[in-house]
mmCIF file of all heavy atoms in Angstrom:
data_model
loop_
_atom_site.group_PDB
_atom_site.id
_atom_site.type_symbol
_atom_site.label_atom_id
_atom_site.label_comp_id
_atom_site.label_asym_id
_atom_site.label_seq_id
_atom_site.Cartn_x
_atom_site.Cartn_y
_atom_site.Cartn_z
ATOM 1 N N MET A 1 13.801 16.952 11.721
ATOM 2 C CA MET A 1 13.156 15.768 12.312
ATOM 3 C C MET A 1 13.186 14.623 11.285
ATOM 4 O O MET A 1 12.956 14.811 10.070
ATOM 5 C CB MET A 1 11.701 16.110 12.693
ATOM 6 C CG MET A 1 11.021 15.091 13.425
ATOM 7 S SD MET A 1 9.350 15.683 13.976
ATOM 8 C CE MET A 1 8.333 14.913 12.788
ATOM 9 N N ASN A 2 13.467 13.436 11.745
ATOM 10 C CA ASN A 2 13.561 12.294 10.899
ATOM 11 C C ASN A 2 12.110 11.782 10.595
ATOM 12 O O ASN A 2 11.343 11.694 11.428
ATOM 13 C CB ASN A 2 14.341 11.158 11.487
ATOM 14 C CG ASN A 2 15.896 11.515 11.399
ATOM 15 O OD1 ASN A 2 16.295 12.207 10.622
ATOM 16 N ND2 ASN A 2 16.532 11.001 12.469
ATOM 17 N N SER A 3 11.897 11.365 9.316
ATOM 18 C CA SER A 3 10.689 10.791 9.083
ATOM 19 C C SER A 3 10.564 9.321 9.616
ATOM 20 O O SER A 3 11.563 8.629 9.634
ATOM 21 C CB SER A 3 10.375 10.686 7.611
ATOM 22 O OG SER A 3 10.454 11.954 6.984
ATOM 23 N N PRO A 4 9.334 8.883 10.095
ATOM 24 C CA PRO A 4 9.260 7.606 10.540
ATOM 25 C C PRO A 4 9.474 6.531 9.397
ATOM 26 O O PRO A 4 8.930 6.829 8.260
ATOM 27 C CB PRO A 4 7.786 7.400 11.047
ATOM 28 C CG PRO A 4 7.128 8.613 10.571
ATOM 29 C CD PRO A 4 8.101 9.640 10.190
ATOM 30 N N LYS A 5 10.065 5.443 9.603
ATOM 31 C CA LYS A 5 10.377 4.449 8.612
ATOM 32 C C LYS A 5 9.520 3.253 9.025
ATOM 33 O O LYS A 5 9.509 2.774 10.215
ATOM 34 C CB LYS A 5 11.777 4.026 8.538
ATOM 35 C CG LYS A 5 12.647 5.162 8.041
ATOM 36 C CD LYS A 5 12.796 5.065 6.471
ATOM 37 C CE LYS A 5 13.815 5.966 6.010
ATOM 38 N NZ LYS A 5 13.451 7.320 5.502
ATOM 39 N N LEU A 6 8.871 2.669 8.089
ATOM 40 C CA LEU A 6 7.953 1.584 8.418
ATOM 41 C C LEU A 6 8.120 0.488 7.315
ATOM 42 O O LEU A 6 8.029 0.766 6.131
ATOM 43 C CB LEU A 6 6.472 1.980 8.358
ATOM 44 C CG LEU A 6 5.445 1.038 8.746
ATOM 45 C CD1 LEU A 6 5.482 0.623 10.190
ATOM 46 C CD2 LEU A 6 4.017 1.609 8.519
ATOM 47 N N GLU A 7 8.363 -0.778 7.777
ATOM 48 C CA GLU A 7 8.456 -1.856 6.829
ATOM 49 C C GLU A 7 6.991 -2.357 6.566
ATOM 50 O O GLU A 7 6.268 -2.580 7.494
ATOM 51 C CB GLU A 7 9.197 -3.038 7.427
ATOM 52 C CG GLU A 7 9.460 -4.226 6.422
ATOM 53 C CD GLU A 7 10.329 -5.262 7.011
ATOM 54 O OE1 GLU A 7 11.431 -4.969 7.422
ATOM 55 O OE2 GLU A 7 9.897 -6.388 7.102
ATOM 56 N N VAL A 8 6.578 -2.288 5.189
ATOM 57 C CA VAL A 8 5.252 -2.628 4.901
ATOM 58 C C VAL A 8 5.211 -3.975 4.180
ATOM 59 O O VAL A 8 5.749 -4.099 3.064
ATOM 60 C CB VAL A 8 4.634 -1.510 3.941
ATOM 61 C CG1 VAL A 8 3.200 -1.913 3.590
ATOM 62 C CG2 VAL A 8 4.640 -0.186 4.705
ATOM 63 N N LYS A 9 4.663 -4.990 4.843
ATOM 64 C CA LYS A 9 4.422 -6.254 4.283
ATOM 65 C C LYS A 9 3.228 -6.187 3.282
ATOM 66 O O LYS A 9 2.126 -5.622 3.663
ATOM 67 C CB LYS A 9 4.185 -7.321 5.374
ATOM 68 C CG LYS A 9 4.398 -8.715 4.892
ATOM 69 C CD LYS A 9 4.256 -9.698 6.093
ATOM 70 C CE LYS A 9 4.130 -11.090 5.602
ATOM 71 N NZ LYS A 9 3.932 -11.967 6.737
ATOM 72 N N CYS A 10 3.312 -6.702 2.058
ATOM 73 C CA CYS A 10 2.308 -6.624 1.154
ATOM 74 C C CYS A 10 2.123 -7.867 0.380
ATOM 75 O O CYS A 10 3.228 -8.507 0.005
ATOM 76 C CB CYS A 10 2.499 -5.408 0.219
ATOM 77 S SG CYS A 10 1.190 -5.198 -0.941
ATOM 78 N N SER A 11 1.015 -8.306 -0.136
ATOM 79 C CA SER A 11 0.894 -9.477 -0.944
ATOM 80 C C SER A 11 0.296 -9.118 -2.328
ATOM 81 O O SER A 11 -0.033 -10.064 -3.057
ATOM 82 C CB SER A 11 -0.169 -10.476 -0.169
ATOM 83 O OG SER A 11 -1.415 -9.888 -0.065
ATOM 84 N N VAL A 12 0.230 -7.834 -2.618
ATOM 85 C CA VAL A 12 -0.223 -7.403 -3.888
ATOM 86 C C VAL A 12 0.789 -7.507 -4.987
ATOM 87 O O VAL A 12 1.557 -6.474 -5.308
ATOM 88 C CB VAL A 12 -0.901 -6.021 -3.932
ATOM 89 C CG1 VAL A 12 -1.562 -5.681 -5.176
ATOM 90 C CG2 VAL A 12 -1.904 -5.980 -2.761
ATOM 91 N N ASP A 13 1.170 -8.796 -5.409
ATOM 92 C CA ASP A 13 2.370 -8.911 -6.200
ATOM 93 C C ASP A 13 2.234 -8.398 -7.767
ATOM 94 O O ASP A 13 3.178 -8.439 -8.434
ATOM 95 C CB ASP A 13 2.715 -10.365 -6.233
ATOM 96 C CG ASP A 13 1.723 -11.315 -6.795
ATOM 97 O OD1 ASP A 13 0.649 -10.843 -7.189
ATOM 98 O OD2 ASP A 13 1.975 -12.526 -6.760
ATOM 99 N N CYS A 14 1.087 -7.819 -7.983
ATOM 100 C CA CYS A 14 0.876 -7.221 -9.414
ATOM 101 C C CYS A 14 1.108 -5.733 -9.285
ATOM 102 O O CYS A 14 0.996 -5.042 -10.282
ATOM 103 C CB CYS A 14 -0.427 -7.548 -9.908
ATOM 104 S SG CYS A 14 -1.842 -6.932 -8.840
ATOM 105 N N CYS A 15 1.639 -5.226 -8.108
ATOM 106 C CA CYS A 15 1.887 -3.803 -7.983
ATOM 107 C C CYS A 15 3.360 -3.489 -8.329
ATOM 108 O O CYS A 15 4.253 -4.317 -8.108
ATOM 109 C CB CYS A 15 1.649 -3.301 -6.574
ATOM 110 S SG CYS A 15 2.047 -1.591 -6.229
ATOM 111 N N ASP A 16 3.620 -2.370 -8.976
ATOM 112 C CA ASP A 16 4.962 -2.046 -9.418
ATOM 113 C C ASP A 16 5.920 -1.794 -8.249
ATOM 114 O O ASP A 16 7.119 -2.038 -8.444
ATOM 115 C CB ASP A 16 4.864 -0.733 -10.377
ATOM 116 C CG ASP A 16 6.012 -0.573 -11.223
ATOM 117 O OD1 ASP A 16 6.390 -1.589 -11.890
ATOM 118 O OD2 ASP A 16 6.513 0.525 -11.412
ATOM 119 N N TYR A 17 5.412 -1.521 -7.107
ATOM 120 C CA TYR A 17 6.237 -1.270 -5.891
ATOM 121 C C TYR A 17 6.542 -2.568 -5.091
ATOM 122 O O TYR A 17 7.267 -2.508 -4.195
ATOM 123 C CB TYR A 17 5.639 -0.250 -4.964
ATOM 124 C CG TYR A 17 5.491 1.174 -5.653
ATOM 125 C CD1 TYR A 17 4.266 1.688 -5.964
ATOM 126 C CD2 TYR A 17 6.614 1.839 -5.874
ATOM 127 C CE1 TYR A 17 4.094 2.895 -6.517
ATOM 128 C CE2 TYR A 17 6.505 3.131 -6.471
ATOM 129 C CZ TYR A 17 5.241 3.636 -6.808
ATOM 130 O OH TYR A 17 5.203 4.877 -7.391
ATOM 131 N N TRP A 18 5.836 -3.650 -5.445
ATOM 132 C CA TRP A 18 5.999 -4.913 -4.683
ATOM 133 C C TRP A 18 7.260 -5.526 -5.006
ATOM 134 O O TRP A 18 7.613 -5.711 -6.148
ATOM 135 C CB TRP A 18 4.807 -5.786 -5.035
ATOM 136 C CG TRP A 18 4.812 -7.050 -4.176
ATOM 137 C CD1 TRP A 18 4.134 -7.269 -3.114
ATOM 138 C CD2 TRP A 18 5.318 -8.320 -4.588
ATOM 139 N NE1 TRP A 18 4.296 -8.562 -2.588
ATOM 140 C CE2 TRP A 18 4.963 -9.161 -3.503
ATOM 141 C CE3 TRP A 18 6.104 -8.770 -5.672
ATOM 142 C CZ2 TRP A 18 5.411 -10.620 -3.552
ATOM 143 C CZ3 TRP A 18 6.559 -10.124 -5.637
ATOM 144 C CH2 TRP A 18 6.221 -10.925 -4.600
ATOM 145 N N LYS A 19 7.986 -6.115 -3.935
ATOM 146 C CA LYS A 19 9.165 -6.923 -4.220
ATOM 147 C C LYS A 19 9.385 -7.818 -2.958
ATOM 148 O O LYS A 19 9.446 -7.274 -1.797
ATOM 149 C CB LYS A 19 10.388 -6.007 -4.386
ATOM 150 C CG LYS A 19 11.557 -6.846 -4.821
ATOM 151 C CD LYS A 19 12.813 -5.944 -5.056
ATOM 152 C CE LYS A 19 14.003 -6.854 -5.354
ATOM 153 N NZ LYS A 19 15.290 -6.204 -5.067
ATOM 154 N N ASP A 20 9.476 -9.076 -3.128
ATOM 155 C CA ASP A 20 9.817 -10.028 -2.030
ATOM 156 C C ASP A 20 8.852 -9.855 -0.913
ATOM 157 O O ASP A 20 9.236 -9.764 0.218
ATOM 158 C CB ASP A 20 11.277 -9.803 -1.630
ATOM 159 C CG ASP A 20 12.263 -10.176 -2.686
ATOM 160 O OD1 ASP A 20 11.882 -10.939 -3.589
ATOM 161 O OD2 ASP A 20 13.343 -9.557 -2.609
ATOM 162 N N SER A 21 7.568 -9.799 -1.209
ATOM 163 C CA SER A 21 6.477 -9.685 -0.195
ATOM 164 C C SER A 21 6.446 -8.449 0.603
ATOM 165 O O SER A 21 5.832 -8.287 1.689
ATOM 166 C CB SER A 21 6.579 -10.842 0.746
ATOM 167 O OG SER A 21 6.422 -12.056 0.121
ATOM 168 N N CYS A 22 7.200 -7.374 0.102
ATOM 169 C CA CYS A 22 7.234 -6.092 0.838
ATOM 170 C C CYS A 22 6.975 -4.908 -0.153
ATOM 171 O O CYS A 22 7.191 -5.122 -1.387
ATOM 172 C CB CYS A 22 8.619 -5.871 1.462
ATOM 173 S SG CYS A 22 8.860 -6.920 2.998
ATOM 174 N N CYS A 23 6.560 -3.800 0.368
ATOM 175 C CA CYS A 23 6.370 -2.581 -0.401
ATOM 176 C C CYS A 23 7.635 -1.776 -0.540
ATOM 177 O O CYS A 23 8.324 -1.633 0.459
ATOM 178 C CB CYS A 23 5.293 -1.737 0.249
ATOM 179 S SG CYS A 23 5.052 -0.149 -0.639
ATOM 180 N N ASN A 24 8.096 -1.355 -1.680
ATOM 181 C CA ASN A 24 9.302 -0.666 -1.840
ATOM 182 C C ASN A 24 9.043 0.760 -2.359
ATOM 183 O O ASN A 24 9.940 1.536 -2.777
ATOM 184 C CB ASN A 24 10.182 -1.319 -2.888
ATOM 185 C CG ASN A 24 10.937 -2.521 -2.301
ATOM 186 O OD1 ASN A 24 12.033 -2.426 -1.813
ATOM 187 N ND2 ASN A 24 10.236 -3.682 -2.270
ATOM 188 N N ALA A 25 7.822 1.308 -2.126
ATOM 189 C CA ALA A 25 7.509 2.742 -2.362
ATOM 190 C C ALA A 25 8.202 3.608 -1.341
ATOM 191 O O ALA A 25 8.325 3.185 -0.190
ATOM 192 C CB ALA A 25 5.982 2.878 -2.336
ATOM 193 N N SER A 26 8.621 4.832 -1.677
ATOM 194 C CA SER A 26 9.208 5.751 -0.812
ATOM 195 C C SER A 26 8.275 6.319 0.227
ATOM 196 O O SER A 26 8.617 6.778 1.327
ATOM 197 C CB SER A 26 10.052 6.808 -1.465
ATOM 198 O OG SER A 26 9.132 7.509 -2.332
ATOM 199 N N ALA A 27 6.970 6.419 -0.150
ATOM 200 C CA ALA A 27 5.829 6.889 0.663
ATOM 201 C C ALA A 27 4.607 6.090 0.289
ATOM 202 O O ALA A 27 4.533 5.570 -0.775
ATOM 203 C CB ALA A 27 5.719 8.292 0.486
ATOM 204 N N LEU A 28 3.694 5.992 1.334
ATOM 205 C CA LEU A 28 2.576 5.195 1.087
ATOM 206 C C LEU A 28 1.368 5.943 1.518
ATOM 207 O O LEU A 28 1.337 6.643 2.489
ATOM 208 C CB LEU A 28 2.663 3.962 1.975
ATOM 209 C CG LEU A 28 1.728 2.735 1.570
ATOM 210 C CD1 LEU A 28 2.048 2.316 0.223
ATOM 211 C CD2 LEU A 28 2.090 1.635 2.550
ATOM 212 N N GLU A 29 0.339 5.943 0.711
ATOM 213 C CA GLU A 29 -0.980 6.636 1.121
ATOM 214 C C GLU A 29 -2.074 5.490 1.075
ATOM 215 O O GLU A 29 -2.282 4.713 0.183
ATOM 216 C CB GLU A 29 -1.353 7.703 0.036
ATOM 217 C CG GLU A 29 -2.641 8.487 0.395
ATOM 218 C CD GLU A 29 -2.876 9.614 -0.556
ATOM 219 O OE1 GLU A 29 -1.901 9.994 -1.206
ATOM 220 O OE2 GLU A 29 -3.906 10.102 -0.550
ATOM 221 N N VAL A 30 -2.834 5.572 2.205
ATOM 222 C CA VAL A 30 -3.927 4.589 2.351
ATOM 223 C C VAL A 30 -5.218 5.373 2.632
ATOM 224 O O VAL A 30 -5.188 6.406 3.434
ATOM 225 C CB VAL A 30 -3.637 3.670 3.578
ATOM 226 C CG1 VAL A 30 -4.844 2.732 3.720
ATOM 227 C CG2 VAL A 30 -2.432 2.823 3.314
ATOM 228 N N ASN A 31 -6.319 5.004 2.020
ATOM 229 C CA ASN A 31 -7.512 5.878 2.144
ATOM 230 C C ASN A 31 -8.757 4.959 2.349
ATOM 231 O O ASN A 31 -8.584 3.722 1.994
ATOM 232 C CB ASN A 31 -7.752 6.760 0.892
ATOM 233 C CG ASN A 31 -6.775 7.900 0.954
ATOM 234 O OD1 ASN A 31 -6.962 8.731 1.779
ATOM 235 N ND2 ASN A 31 -5.923 7.912 -0.052
ATOM 236 N N PRO A 32 -9.880 5.450 2.740
ATOM 237 C CA PRO A 32 -11.036 4.628 2.803
ATOM 238 C C PRO A 32 -11.427 4.242 1.380
ATOM 239 O O PRO A 32 -11.161 4.874 0.414
ATOM 240 C CB PRO A 32 -12.143 5.589 3.379
ATOM 241 C CG PRO A 32 -11.364 6.706 3.995
ATOM 242 C CD PRO A 32 -10.123 6.879 3.203
ATOM 243 N N MET A 33 -12.012 3.003 1.283
ATOM 244 C CA MET A 33 -12.487 2.544 0.057
ATOM 245 C C MET A 33 -13.551 3.490 -0.459
ATOM 246 O O MET A 33 -14.235 4.048 0.435
ATOM 247 C CB MET A 33 -13.063 1.156 0.137
ATOM 248 C CG MET A 33 -12.169 0.091 0.527
ATOM 249 S SD MET A 33 -11.302 -0.702 -0.790
ATOM 250 C CE MET A 33 -12.496 -2.057 -1.103
ATOM 251 N N THR A 34 -13.737 3.763 -1.717
ATOM 252 C CA THR A 34 -14.703 4.667 -2.229
ATOM 253 C C THR A 34 -16.076 4.424 -1.704
ATOM 254 O O THR A 34 -16.604 3.297 -1.704
ATOM 255 C CB THR A 34 -14.710 4.508 -3.856
ATOM 256 O OG1 THR A 34 -13.430 4.686 -4.316
ATOM 257 C CG2 THR A 34 -15.620 5.638 -4.403
ATOM 258 N N GLY A 35 -16.672 5.559 -1.164
ATOM 259 C CA GLY A 35 -18.003 5.467 -0.601
ATOM 260 C C GLY A 35 -18.157 4.862 0.756
ATOM 261 O O GLY A 35 -19.270 4.572 1.272
ATOM 262 N N LYS A 36 -16.989 4.397 1.526
ATOM 263 C CA LYS A 36 -17.064 3.770 2.700
ATOM 264 C C LYS A 36 -16.655 4.588 3.878
ATOM 265 O O LYS A 36 -15.723 5.439 3.763
ATOM 266 C CB LYS A 36 -16.229 2.455 2.638
ATOM 267 C CG LYS A 36 -16.705 1.469 1.651
ATOM 268 C CD LYS A 36 -16.751 0.132 2.296
ATOM 269 C CE LYS A 36 -17.114 -0.930 1.356
ATOM 270 N NZ LYS A 36 -17.503 -2.204 1.983
ATOM 271 N N THR A 37 -17.248 4.375 5.030
ATOM 272 C CA THR A 37 -16.663 4.857 6.268
ATOM 273 C C THR A 37 -16.034 3.652 6.948
ATOM 274 O O THR A 37 -16.743 2.709 7.227
ATOM 275 C CB THR A 37 -17.797 5.378 7.195
ATOM 276 O OG1 THR A 37 -18.455 6.493 6.487
ATOM 277 C CG2 THR A 37 -17.286 5.863 8.521
ATOM 278 N N PRO A 38 -14.692 3.619 7.064
ATOM 279 C CA PRO A 38 -14.080 2.389 7.497
ATOM 280 C C PRO A 38 -14.476 1.934 8.933
ATOM 281 O O PRO A 38 -14.561 2.767 9.827
ATOM 282 C CB PRO A 38 -12.653 2.759 7.473
ATOM 283 C CG PRO A 38 -12.566 3.850 6.503
ATOM 284 C CD PRO A 38 -13.738 4.678 6.652
ATOM 285 N N HIS A 39 -14.694 0.685 9.098
ATOM 286 C CA HIS A 39 -14.984 0.063 10.341
ATOM 287 C C HIS A 39 -14.016 -1.076 10.558
ATOM 288 O O HIS A 39 -13.707 -1.450 11.684
ATOM 289 C CB HIS A 39 -16.435 -0.463 10.407
ATOM 290 C CG HIS A 39 -17.477 0.585 10.379
ATOM 291 N ND1 HIS A 39 -17.686 1.537 11.384
ATOM 292 C CD2 HIS A 39 -18.308 0.956 9.370
ATOM 293 C CE1 HIS A 39 -18.622 2.351 11.052
ATOM 294 N NE2 HIS A 39 -19.044 2.060 9.826
ATOM 295 N N THR A 40 -13.523 -1.597 9.470
ATOM 296 C CA THR A 40 -12.532 -2.701 9.542
ATOM 297 C C THR A 40 -11.356 -2.386 8.479
ATOM 298 O O THR A 40 -11.594 -1.551 7.565
ATOM 299 C CB THR A 40 -13.082 -4.130 9.242
ATOM 300 O OG1 THR A 40 -13.357 -4.214 7.913
ATOM 301 C CG2 THR A 40 -14.288 -4.346 10.050
ATOM 302 N N SER A 41 -10.378 -3.115 8.493
ATOM 303 C CA SER A 41 -9.230 -2.863 7.497
ATOM 304 C C SER A 41 -9.756 -3.230 6.059
ATOM 305 O O SER A 41 -9.222 -2.732 5.083
ATOM 306 C CB SER A 41 -8.067 -3.763 7.863
ATOM 307 O OG SER A 41 -8.401 -5.058 7.917
ATOM 308 N N ASP A 42 -10.797 -4.104 6.006
ATOM 309 C CA ASP A 42 -11.399 -4.373 4.683
ATOM 310 C C ASP A 42 -11.957 -3.106 3.949
ATOM 311 O O ASP A 42 -12.164 -3.159 2.802
ATOM 312 C CB ASP A 42 -12.463 -5.414 4.808
ATOM 313 C CG ASP A 42 -11.896 -6.750 5.088
ATOM 314 O OD1 ASP A 42 -10.670 -6.984 4.941
ATOM 315 O OD2 ASP A 42 -12.674 -7.754 5.419
ATOM 316 N N ASP A 43 -12.191 -2.098 4.771
ATOM 317 C CA ASP A 43 -12.822 -0.814 4.244
ATOM 318 C C ASP A 43 -11.775 0.184 3.777
ATOM 319 O O ASP A 43 -12.090 1.297 3.423
ATOM 320 C CB ASP A 43 -13.747 -0.202 5.212
ATOM 321 C CG ASP A 43 -14.895 -1.196 5.543
ATOM 322 O OD1 ASP A 43 -15.240 -1.990 4.783
ATOM 323 O OD2 ASP A 43 -15.345 -1.025 6.718
ATOM 324 N N THR A 44 -10.457 -0.213 3.857
ATOM 325 C CA THR A 44 -9.381 0.636 3.439
ATOM 326 C C THR A 44 -8.568 0.130 2.269
ATOM 327 O O THR A 44 -8.686 -1.067 1.930
ATOM 328 C CB THR A 44 -8.349 0.945 4.643
ATOM 329 O OG1 THR A 44 -7.778 -0.314 4.872
ATOM 330 C CG2 THR A 44 -9.101 1.354 5.832
ATOM 331 N N ALA A 45 -7.918 0.988 1.617
ATOM 332 C CA ALA A 45 -7.178 0.501 0.424
ATOM 333 C C ALA A 45 -5.945 1.380 0.073
ATOM 334 O O ALA A 45 -5.891 2.513 0.533
ATOM 335 C CB ALA A 45 -8.040 0.612 -0.874
ATOM 336 N N CYS A 46 -4.973 0.773 -0.469
ATOM 337 C CA CYS A 46 -3.764 1.395 -0.825
ATOM 338 C C CYS A 46 -3.882 2.244 -2.075
ATOM 339 O O CYS A 46 -4.065 1.732 -3.137
ATOM 340 C CB CYS A 46 -2.605 0.384 -1.049
ATOM 341 S SG CYS A 46 -1.044 1.112 -1.543
ATOM 342 N N THR A 47 -3.764 3.599 -1.906
ATOM 343 C CA THR A 47 -3.925 4.546 -3.015
ATOM 344 C C THR A 47 -2.637 4.613 -3.799
ATOM 345 O O THR A 47 -2.639 5.024 -4.965
ATOM 346 C CB THR A 47 -4.289 5.889 -2.488
ATOM 347 O OG1 THR A 47 -5.443 5.839 -1.632
ATOM 348 C CG2 THR A 47 -4.567 6.881 -3.567
ATOM 349 N N THR A 48 -1.523 4.234 -3.239
ATOM 350 C CA THR A 48 -0.287 4.253 -3.949
ATOM 351 C C THR A 48 -0.126 3.215 -4.948
ATOM 352 O O THR A 48 0.812 3.301 -5.875
ATOM 353 C CB THR A 48 0.955 4.154 -2.941
ATOM 354 O OG1 THR A 48 0.755 5.121 -1.835
ATOM 355 C CG2 THR A 48 2.264 4.436 -3.518
ATOM 356 N N PHE A 49 -0.917 2.152 -4.907
ATOM 357 C CA PHE A 49 -0.920 1.064 -5.916
ATOM 358 C C PHE A 49 -0.690 1.512 -7.294
ATOM 359 O O PHE A 49 -1.398 2.408 -7.785
ATOM 360 C CB PHE A 49 -2.175 0.199 -5.744
ATOM 361 C CG PHE A 49 -2.352 -0.808 -6.773
ATOM 362 C CD1 PHE A 49 -1.616 -2.019 -6.771
ATOM 363 C CD2 PHE A 49 -3.123 -0.569 -7.932
ATOM 364 C CE1 PHE A 49 -1.658 -2.934 -7.807
ATOM 365 C CE2 PHE A 49 -3.263 -1.491 -8.972
ATOM 366 C CZ PHE A 49 -2.541 -2.707 -8.850
ATOM 367 N N LYS A 50 0.290 0.896 -7.994
ATOM 368 C CA LYS A 50 0.460 1.221 -9.441
ATOM 369 C C LYS A 50 0.595 -0.114 -10.100
ATOM 370 O O LYS A 50 1.492 -0.965 -9.728
ATOM 371 C CB LYS A 50 1.703 2.042 -9.576
ATOM 372 C CG LYS A 50 1.976 2.451 -11.080
ATOM 373 C CD LYS A 50 3.043 3.537 -11.094
ATOM 374 C CE LYS A 50 4.446 2.784 -11.199
ATOM 375 N NZ LYS A 50 5.582 3.730 -11.407
ATOM 376 N N PRO A 51 -0.183 -0.495 -11.074
ATOM 377 C CA PRO A 51 -0.135 -1.875 -11.681
ATOM 378 C C PRO A 51 1.293 -2.017 -12.438
ATOM 379 O O PRO A 51 1.731 -0.965 -13.080
ATOM 380 C CB PRO A 51 -1.328 -1.863 -12.692
ATOM 381 C CG PRO A 51 -1.697 -0.439 -12.853
ATOM 382 C CD PRO A 51 -1.313 0.311 -11.638
ATOM 383 N N ASN A 52 1.761 -3.164 -12.283
ATOM 384 C CA ASN A 52 3.115 -3.346 -13.051
ATOM 385 C C ASN A 52 2.725 -3.798 -14.488
ATOM 386 O O ASN A 52 1.680 -4.090 -14.737
ATOM 387 C CB ASN A 52 3.991 -4.409 -12.336
ATOM 388 C CG ASN A 52 3.328 -5.779 -12.209
ATOM 389 O OD1 ASN A 52 2.329 -6.035 -12.805
ATOM 390 N ND2 ASN A 52 3.853 -6.581 -11.346
ATOM 391 N N LYS A 53 3.746 -3.638 -15.306
ATOM 392 C CA LYS A 53 3.541 -3.879 -16.730
ATOM 393 C C LYS A 53 3.707 -5.346 -17.064
ATOM 394 O O LYS A 53 4.369 -6.058 -16.448
ATOM 395 C CB LYS A 53 4.316 -2.990 -17.456
ATOM 396 C CG LYS A 53 4.019 -1.572 -17.248
ATOM 397 C CD LYS A 53 5.076 -0.581 -17.818
ATOM 398 C CE LYS A 53 4.660 0.887 -17.455
ATOM 399 N NZ LYS A 53 5.475 1.334 -16.279
HETATM 400 S S1 LIG B 1 2.091 0.478 -3.083
HETATM 401 FE FE1 LIG B 1 0.447 -0.512 -1.933
HETATM 402 S S2 LIG B 1 -0.138 -2.270 -3.206
HETATM 403 FE FE2 LIG B 1 1.886 -1.584 -3.933
HETATM 404 S S3 LIG B 1 3.382 -2.813 -2.877
HETATM 405 FE FE3 LIG B 1 3.049 -0.927 -1.697
HETATM 406 S S4 LIG B 1 1.540 -1.406 -0.169
HETATM 407 FE FE4 LIG B 1 1.407 -2.960 -1.694
#
């Protein structure tokens, strides 16, 4: 079975996976913000984020 492919637009330009307004990570994990039960997208966060150097 083929894995789904998704183009992820991202504006976090200080992330190591960011390039040209898109995410270039091979997989992406998104979770609720710490201590939150999500009700809106503001309550979620990208766990794959890695600060660039
Ligand atoms: S890993 Fe997350 S923060 Fe980093 S470019 Fe991808 S979507 Fe954006």
Side-chain angles (χ1 to χ4, degrees):
M1 193 172 96
N2 289 331
S3 301
K5 294 269 192 265
L6 182 67
E7 185 175 303
V8 179
K9 197 173 167 187
C10 180
S11 62
V12 186
D13 60 359
C14 60
C15 178
D16 205 41
Y17 296 111
W18 184 91
K19 191 180 172 202
D20 298 332
S21 299
C22 286
C23 178
N24 283 264
S26 57
L28 199 60
E29 182 175 343
V30 178
N31 286 296
M33 297 271 272
T34 306
K36 294 230 182 192
T37 299
H39 296 290
T40 74
S41 56
D42 287 348
D43 299 332
T44 67
C46 176
T47 304
T48 307
F49 170 80
K50 183 171 90 174
N52 61 15
K53 296 168 184 98

